[in-house]
Amino acid sequence: MSDIKKQFEALQAATLRLRNSSAEERAAKIRALTAETLARKEDLFKATHAERGTHDLDVAAELMMLKTEGDYVAKNLTKWAKPHKVKGSMGTFGKKCEIRYQSKGVVLNMAAYNAPTAESFVPAIAAIAAGNAVMIKPSEYAPESAQIIQGIVNKVFPADEVQVVQGGVKVAQELLALPFNHIYYTGGNAVGKIVMKAAADNFASITLEMGGKSPVIIDETADLENAATKLAWGRVMNAGQVCIAPEYVIVHESKYDEFTKLIGEKIDALYNSDGKGLENSAYVPRLINERHHQRVAGLIKDATKKGATISFGGGSDKKSRYIEPTILTNVSEDMDVMNEEVFGPVMAIMPYKNRAEVIDIIAKRPNPLALYIYSKDNDAVEYFLTNTSSGSAVVNNNCVQAGTNPNLPFGGVGASGMGRSGGFEGFKEMSNARSIVHQPLDRFRDFLIQLPPYSDKYKNIIMKAIK
Ligand code: NAD
């Protein structure tokens, strides 16, 4: 038997014990996980810096997500884990109805590389809160972080409660063949499909946290300075390796030239304030590996070949996996940059004349993870919100909706994902919402009127109800 299978079976053997653990016991484990992770922050800063050249404060923001979630879940868990009484109905007259959130069993969490600690531990917190055993596979692209993640788990949890397995595609395939009860996956669409198919073999439920092309709409009433500043940050942060990053901007034609000029200026102001060049900025990390560097550089090349103009940036360095923050204008819809997720610091900008055109451009693409609207016109905001679909949306800001507020569940729709994480919704995602009906046995409430042979009284009640 392989080691992975043995590890899985150890977790499986603990499912009943974990299901019957108290909310207080689970909350204590979540607090211990958060505390140990924060205690290792300097190591995580170093690891992430080595992997992608990330600034400590950007990694700290990731840890902040984890702390926000961990504290909130630990605080509310007793309330969530209690049986939830629900109102009765005609069909359950005289009976007592409740929902009990019960663990699913063993949860697999496959994480991506761009926020390795949060992606490993935020879903794990929800799974632990719901009383599951958990297997975490951090991304093989962030091996130094993965090593620390494994060290944290090994220190906090016994081997039959939470396990970390490191490795790449082969390990992922071996894991996906095991009968997990729930699979939580963060990553791209292509692997998302593989995960979904593998889950079908075992009827595992799934959460898919994927990405896509999150659009930005800037209408004629928008505060352009404000929008350009926030979008410069949203696109360049983590060198664009953020699932909810603004990917392309559709700007009203009357503001197109001004916005195009402003966004370049704002990138410079935020990321090159010391004038030493963007490539020397402590705030512009590198792409995770050569393949992703080549892919993003290829998107710029494809766009320029098809007629796009580089209005800012455009440079790249293969050796250091650097992509200069880049703004593309004169973009057309057939360009790869308008159809593939960039996941790098490259933003395409196109003008629009009327609102219907905006809806059309967005509707031609799979449902995005996020959508951003910059406008001071409430009617326009409502029009754009009601005529589009996305996992989340933000008005007059970007990238502030994920991991920031556990009362706002996070997730995608269609090709950008399914299921939700965060807070009570995240807890429910990892639970079986078991409906339980209690029948009191006294003669006023325990009637069997619905059984044949049907009485006229029963017939009258039913016929009246469906009149
Ligand atoms: P990816 O699709 O390359 O890989 C993710 C995981 O899948 C890794 O654990 C990897 O080992 C595994 N994997 C790869 N090939 C496999 C195969 N053939 N069979 C089985 N498993 C396989 O994703 P990535 O490049 O690491 O991450 C980038 C993507 O993640 C982007 O699309 C981004 O939008 C998305 N993302 C989404 C969120 C979110 O919360 N929605 C967060 C971060 C990243």
Side-chain angles (χ1 to χ4, degrees):
M1 197 192 298
S2 77
D3 284 350
I4 288 180
K5 189 140 190 261
K6 272 189 216 146
Q7 284 169 293
F8 173 78
E9 288 185 353
L11 295 171
Q12 218 176 21
T15 51
L16 255 189
R17 191 189 88 230
L18 293 173
R19 176 172 294 161
N20 292 314
S21 61
S22 69
E24 291 68 30
E25 285 169 323
R26 298 176 199 174
K29 285 173 198 166
I30 290 166
R31 288 197 185 96
L33 173 62
T34 307
E36 182 59 21
T37 309
L38 298 185
R40 300 286 307 267
K41 63 177 170 287
E42 293 297 335
D43 297 336
L44 287 164
F45 291 166
K46 263 189 229 146
T48 319
H49 189 80
E51 284 156 1
R52 277 178 287 132
T54 318
H55 192 279
D56 290 356
L57 282 183
D58 289 330
V59 184
E62 189 191 332
L63 300 184
M64 184 74 198
M65 279 184 197
L66 175 73
K67 179 161 167 46
T68 304
E69 182 69 14
D71 288 354
Y72 184 82
V73 172
K75 189 168 158 234
N76 288 286
L77 190 52
T78 303
K79 186 172 70 196
W80 299 342
K82 269 189 193 146
H84 294 234
K85 284 202 176 104
V86 296
K87 280 191 182 153
S89 66
M90 189 181 159
T92 56
F93 187 74
K95 301 165 178 48
K96 291 178 187 163
C97 301
E98 64 176 18
I99 298 168
R100 288 191 197 174
Y101 293 102
Q102 203 173 47
S103 64
K104 291 188 174 179
V106 190
V107 173
L108 170 64
N109 176 28
M110 282 173 56
Y113 61 84
N114 60 323
T117 312
E119 286 162 7
S120 293
F121 288 156
V122 170
I125 286 172
I128 294 161
N132 297 288
V134 191
M135 179 91 91
I136 302 171
K137 189 189 98 56
S139 172
E140 65 273 31
Y141 298 160
E144 295 184 37
S145 298
Q147 196 61 27
I148 298 165
I149 287 163
Q150 184 156 31
I152 293 168
V153 165
N154 288 349
K155 180 147 182 214
V156 175
F157 296 97
D160 62 353
E161 292 188 12
V162 185
Q163 284 273 343
V164 173
V165 172
Q166 292 191 54
V169 177
K170 216 170 144 269
V171 167
Q173 285 166 338
E174 193 177 343
L175 285 168
L176 288 173
L178 293 169
F180 284 95
N181 302 96
H182 185 91
I183 304 175
Y184 189 108
Y185 163 79
T186 304
N189 293 133
V191 179
K193 280 186 191 171
I194 295 172
V195 171
M196 210 168 170
K197 284 179 187 155
D201 281 342
N202 296 304
F203 295 110
S205 50
I206 45 171
T207 312
L208 300 179
E209 296 286 5
M210 302 186 290
K213 294 216 68 70
S214 297
V216 183
I217 306 162
I218 300 182
D219 83 352
E220 58 275 41
T221 68
D223 179 336
L224 286 194
E225 285 265 348
N226 182 288
T229 304
K230 291 168 179 167
L231 288 164
W233 166 70
R235 183 68 286 193
V236 181
M237 163 179 46
N238 211 2
Q241 299 162 111
V242 176
C243 56
I244 50 167
E247 284 262 321
Y248 65 101
V249 184
I250 318 169
V251 51
H252 190 265
E253 58 177 2
S254 64
K255 303 287 176 189
Y256 179 75
D257 289 339
E258 192 183 347
F259 176 74
T260 302
K261 186 169 157 281
L262 271 174
I263 184 95
E265 288 173 14
K266 298 301 179 191
I267 291 174
D268 228 29
L270 298 187
Y271 292 95
N272 188 24
S273 57
D274 59 7
K276 289 182 180 161
L278 287 163
E279 70 278 23
N280 298 312
S281 169
Y283 310 121
V284 181
R286 300 311 187 235
L287 294 201
I288 191 72
N289 56 30
E290 232 173 75
R291 179 172 69 83
H292 280 294
H293 180 270
Q294 215 177 330
R295 183 183 58 73
V296 177
L299 291 174
I300 301 175
K301 232 183 247 165
D302 171 79
T304 49
K305 207 169 79 193
K306 291 176 182 159
T309 306
I310 294 174
S311 74
F312 185 90
S316 79
D317 177 49
K318 194 174 163 198
K319 201 161 154 250
S320 63
R321 306 187 315 274
Y322 170 68
I323 296 278
E324 188 177 13
T326 298
I327 300 297
L328 296 169
T329 50
N330 287 324
V331 171
S332 57
E333 286 198 64
D334 62 324
M335 294 173 182
D336 292 346
V337 75
M338 283 302 296
N339 296 296
E340 279 172 31
E341 182 179 10
V342 179
F343 218 59
V346 180
M347 186 182 254
I349 308 179
M350 59 199 317
Y352 76 90
K353 277 193 178 54
N354 59 66
R355 290 177 187 181
E357 227 180 291
V358 175
I359 304 304
D360 186 48
I361 294 168
I362 294 170
K364 272 191 238 157
R365 290 160 175 79
N367 284 330
L369 189 58
L371 179 136
Y372 302 110
I373 304 166
Y374 284 87
S375 170
K376 287 186 198 152
D377 175 352
N378 289 341
D379 287 343
V381 169
E382 279 311 309
Y383 173 85
F384 290 130
L385 285 176
T386 49
N387 286 288
T388 55
S389 173
S390 61
S392 60
V394 181
V395 180
N396 289 320
N397 212 328
N398 48 252
C399 305
V400 293
Q401 76 276 36
T404 46
N405 177 359
N407 295 306
L408 278 178
F410 177 70
V413 54
S416 59
M418 58 192 67
R420 288 293 178 267
S421 68
F424 188 40
E425 292 302 318
F427 168 82
K428 288 198 283 185
E429 186 86 359
M430 298 292 184
S431 308
N432 164 31
R434 194 182 196 193
S435 294
I436 301 178
V437 178
H438 300 271
Q439 176 65 66
L441 290 176
D442 57 83
R443 71 189 173 94
F444 299 108
R445 288 178 290 180
D446 189 24
F447 38 78
L448 299 172
I449 190 172
Q450 76 279 21
L451 269 49
Y454 300 130
S455 65
D456 287 345
K457 191 175 169 194
Y458 177 61
K459 184 181 166 191
N460 286 342
I461 293 171
I462 293 296
M463 288 309 173
K464 211 169 150 193
I466 61 165
K467 204 165 80 176

